[in-house]
Amino acid sequence: QLAESGGGLVQAGGSLRLSCAASGRTYSINAMGWFRQTPGKDREFVSSIIYSGDKTQYADSVRGRFTISRDNAENTVYLQMDGLKPEDTAVYYCAASAVLTWPPMTDEYDYWGQGTQVTVSS
């Protein structure tokens, strides 16, 4: 199971930190990622991180503003979002992948959270 938290309403230029706590078969997780979705659009990749933490990946739209990290002792992954823009408004989903290749394709994420709403006002 994956449980996201930390979403909310923030003004443009502000910051939020999302958290995703994993429980259950956490030993099988190799990579974790964040995706986002707005109404009427496909789910969009945001960022991912490998278990060791030494490999990360970012979408061009968030690189330099968002930072992904993980605490394996707590089975938690974080997404620090700075310099938020109105176009970052979306439901953000946490996902976990058991595949050993890097980076995982979107359809290689096996587990998904319920999502947390992030709203950025202008």
Side-chain angles (χ1 to χ4, degrees), residues 28-121:
S28 66
I29 296 174
N30 184 52
M32 296 186 73
W34 289 96
F35 294 76
R36 64 188 183 187
Q37 190 170 23
T38 54
K41 293 188 177 181
D42 292 335
R43 195 166 293 185
E44 174 190 22
F45 169 79
V46 175
S47 182
S48 59
I49 186 167
I50 202 170
Y51 179 85
S52 62
D54 62 352
K55 292 182 181 179
T56 58
Q57 191 182 28
Y58 295 93
D60 289 342
S61 58
V62 307
R63 186 175 292 112
R65 299 188 297 122
F66 291 10
T67 304
I68 192 170
S69 61
R70 64 189 297 169
D71 182 339
N72 290 333
E74 298 294 329
N75 292 315
T76 301
V77 64
Y78 303 97
L79 186 68
Q80 177 67 40
M81 305 186 295
D82 299 316
L84 282 162
K85 304 175 182 180
E87 51 263 44
D88 294 319
T89 295
V91 177
Y92 283 72
Y93 296 90
C94 174
S97 174
V99 299
L100 299 181
T101 54
W102 173 260
M105 304 298 289
T106 299
D107 60 2
E108 293 177 324
Y109 283 89
D110 307 291
Y111 309 101
W112 293 83
Q114 293 299 307
T116 185
Q117 177 70 47
V118 171
T119 302
V120 184
S121 63

